[in-house]
Structure formats: structure tokens, C-alpha cells
Amino acid sequence: MDGSPVRKDAPEDLAPRSSTRLIDEGAALRASLLQELPEIPARYLYDDTGSELFERITGLSVYYQTRTEISILERAAADIVAHARPRHLVELGSGAGRKIRILLDALRADGPSVTCTMLDINELFLLQSIDRLSADYPEFVFRGVVGNFMTDLGRLGPAGGRLVVFFAGTVGNLHPDERRSFLGDLAQRMDDADALLLGVDLVKDPARLEAAYDDPEGVTAAFNLNVLSVLNRRFAGNFDTSAFRHRAFYDRKNAWIEMRLVATRKNEVRLDALGLRLAFDKGAEIRTELSCKFTRASLEASAGEAGLTIDRWYTDPADLFALALVRRRRS
Ligand code: AVJ
């Protein structure tokens, strides 16, 4: 790796999370677990096991999103690079870093040398993907940030000539109010020369959507149940995963998929680090993820609330998924 800056610039924020931040996090989790419909924020799904399971989900036949987004990106990459002309690439929730390669190949073919900042909540995945990318693209400079795209946008470097990419439909995992503040925060940090590339899953036949979140192989069920083990480990809990089952359904009114865990028998849970005791009757539910689905109009409306607008729209022939190149609305 000599010459590549990566090893010298280990991902920032390796410093342990401040105690205040841990207390706030604990308090936020406590509050969401005490809601009428108890909820576990989706970011807890992505520990090492969860990130591995998600990688497996992306290869499932029912989970069309990943391969469809890749096929759109392969066809649109040159046009995106020509339109955005980025000097800095910033990827939010970079995961295994597969898709960014398609943009890097297009930039390698026709673009200026760029810096590439990868942000992910999972440090191990981040380090691994940066190592691989630096080896395969030595002409580009890579930087890693361990963080959360809801709270760490301020650490993504200066505005001007940035293409911020948010793939996989992950923007859909935000509650509409969270999405509003996220897009608003991002828009504040963008200038007219910046662009945002958003991958969004499109509204479609509910049966197809529900199948994508409840695969017969049981990988999504394992991905969902794993969050209980994450809470046990992080917050000294005693969730018994065998007392819960996976459920996924499409809410037409809100145009989102919900993942939930359903208690299969009456059970009690302690989370000692939160000073919490929870009692679940048989059939009681915990919400673990939302996955909002969009149309071009609903995304334009959401972007518009943040002073953004869709500049380019790329879909697959079956309109399963889309990539939207979004910019600040000219005043
Ligand atoms: C890629 C994170 C957006 O919501 O489709 C996959 C996560 N959850 N199966 C999605 C997920 C269940 C996925 N995201």
C-alpha cells in the first residue's frame, strides 16, 4: 500500500464515542422502545453479522434492488459523470463498496482525478472496502469516515464539485420526518456545483415488494432477528430471539415496507444498560425498519421541501428502481 494515503489516514473518528454521545444514544433507544409501537432504529441492524447478512440478501433472487441498481448505474455512469463533473466523490453508507467502482471506472475513463470519501457506520466493512479500492484505483485518494449519515454530514469535506452518492434505497429507511431533516441538512451543505445521486426503490406490486423482504431462504428473517442480539450485546440485554419471528408487510397508504419482530409467546426482557424492563404479550410487535418506496413525483416533492430538484432520472426498463441526480434548485 506504499504511496497510497489510506494506511496513513486511518478512518477518522476511531476515537471512542464520547460518554455524552453514548448516554444520548441510550436515551434515544430507551424512548423508542417505550413508544406505543416499540421501535429499534434500523442502524442497529448493521453490526458485522448484520452487514454480512445484508450482503447475502443482495444476492437473493427475490431481492431485485441491488442488481437492478447496478444495471442502471452501468448504463448511466458516463452520463452522470458528464453531468456532475465531480472533483470529490462522497459515498454515504458505503457498505462493501461495489457500486462506487462503476462510477470510478467512468471517472477513470473520462474524468479528472478525484478524492473519494466513504462514510459507513461499520468500521470493519469501511476499512476492508477502502483497502480493496485503494489497491484497484491507486490514482484516486480514498478517505474513510466511521459515522452516521444523519449526524456526521459535517465531516464530509468542503462544498464545491462534490458528487454525494447514496445508493441502495437507503434514503428510504428514513422516516419521512428524518428524511426531511437529512435532505435539508445536506442541501445546506451543497452549492450549485454539487450534486446528489440517490438510489430509490420504486412503488410497485405489493406482492413483489413483500416477497423481497421475506425470502424463502430466511436470510431477511435472520437479518431482522439479529438486531436483538445486537441490543443484548450493546445494552446488557436478555432478548430470547426464539421468542420472536420476522414479519414484513407493505403499507400502501404510506408507500413503505415495514419490518417487524412479533412475539411468538409472552416474554419479559431486561436491558440493564438502559435500566429497562419490557413485557411482551404473545403477538406484540417491535418495528425494526421502514423502507419507503417512491415515484418520480413523490421524490421530487420530498427533494423540493429541501430546496432540491431532480436534474436527471435513470430507471430500468421495468421501472423497478431509479437513480436520481439531484441538485439545489436555482434561486
Ligand atoms: C438497502 C438498506 C435500503 O431497505 O431495501 C434489505 C435494507 N432490509 N432487506 C432496504 C433491507 C431488508 C435495504 N436497504
Side-chain angles (χ1 to χ4, degrees):
M1 299 302 288
D2 291 350
S4 150
V6 172
R7 292 234 172 269
K8 294 190 222 72
D9 313 312
E12 292 173 24
D13 188 78
L14 284 183
R17 250 180 276 263
S18 69
S19 54
T20 338
R21 204 158 160 181
L22 274 175
I23 293 160
D24 296 351
E25 191 185 334
L29 177 58
R30 198 169 191 285
S32 65
L33 281 167
L34 290 172
Q35 287 173 170
E36 193 175 335
L37 170 62
E39 189 153 6
I40 301 173
R43 67 175 177 280
Y44 290 106
L45 291 160
Y46 297 95
D47 69 332
D48 295 351
T49 305
S51 296
E52 302 279 344
L53 286 165
F54 175 61
E55 276 311 297
R56 284 181 52 201
I57 289 172
T58 62
L60 295 171
S61 58
V62 289
Y63 195 78
Y64 57 85
Q65 289 92 329
T66 308
R67 59 181 177 270
T68 307
E69 184 174 37
I70 287 173
S71 72
I72 298 169
L73 196 51
E74 280 164 348
R75 263 182 310 104
D79 187 71
I80 291 166
V81 162
H83 255 78
R85 306 217 62 70
R87 289 199 304 285
H88 309 290
L89 267 185
V90 176
E91 183 173 10
L92 307 179
S94 50
R98 251 181 306 168
K99 294 168 193 162
I100 199 80
R101 288 169 177 274
I102 301 168
L103 280 180
L104 291 170
D105 290 341
L107 281 162
R108 181 180 256 175
D110 170 37
S113 175
V114 298
T115 67
C116 193
T117 300
M118 319 277 286
L119 177 136
D120 200 277
I121 201 156
N122 185 301
E123 182 186 340
L124 175 67
F125 261 57
L126 185 67
L127 279 173
Q128 288 172 340
S129 62
I130 286 187
D131 268 358
R132 284 192 298 266
L133 286 166
S134 320
D136 299 343
Y137 299 90
E139 72 268 40
F140 297 140
V141 176
F142 294 90
R143 193 168 74 91
V145 175
V146 180
N148 174 337
F149 50 73
M150 287 302 292
T151 53
D152 296 312
L153 292 179
R155 301 180 29 240
L156 298 176
R162 275 182 315 181
L163 176 58
V164 179
V165 298
F166 199 16
F167 287 133
T170 306
V171 70
N173 295 142
L174 304 177
H175 286 237
D177 51 357
E178 284 178 319
R179 186 171 67 233
R180 199 167 298 115
S181 71
F182 166 74
L183 290 175
D185 185 7
L186 198 50
Q188 295 295 319
R189 298 169 192 284
M190 288 168 68
D191 69 14
D192 292 347
D194 288 333
L196 166 65
L197 184 63
L198 274 180
V200 289
D201 194 11
L202 298 176
V203 170
K204 59 182 66 63
D205 165 23
R208 176 116 201 227
L209 284 168
E210 289 179 351
Y213 292 86
D214 198 5
D215 53 282
E217 295 89 341
V219 183
T220 309
F223 173 66
N224 195 5
L225 284 161
N226 174 60
V227 80
L228 300 179
S229 309
V230 174
L231 263 56
N232 284 349
R233 199 174 52 247
R234 300 249 336 246
F235 300 98
N238 68 341
F239 273 106
D240 174 354
T241 53
S242 72
F244 292 86
R245 67 175 171 80
H246 167 66
R247 180 185 177 217
F249 64 94
Y250 183 61
D251 175 329
R252 289 165 194 254
K253 186 169 71 50
N254 292 302
W256 66 42
I257 280 275
E258 282 201 31
M259 280 207 319
R260 296 192 181 179
L261 292 169
V262 185
T264 54
R265 60 176 185 271
K266 192 174 172 56
N267 69 94
E268 291 223 350
V269 173
R270 285 196 335 270
L271 287 161
D272 293 342
L274 304 179
L276 204 50
R277 281 174 182 279
L278 299 164
F280 296 98
D281 287 333
K282 183 175 178 175
E285 300 192 333
I286 305 172
R287 184 156 73 179
T288 53
E289 190 183 59
L290 283 186
S291 194
C292 301
K293 309 305 170 187
F294 297 87
T295 60
R296 181 167 183 163
S298 68
L299 184 66
E300 181 64 36
S302 206
E305 285 171 2
L308 298 169
T309 187
I310 298 174
D311 183 20
R312 312 279 290 175
W313 180 254
Y314 310 93
T315 61
D316 58 296
D319 278 328
L320 299 176
F321 204 90
L323 281 170
L325 191 65
V326 174
R327 290 189 180 277
R328 279 168 59 101
R329 210 174 25 225
R330 300 290 167 138
S331 31

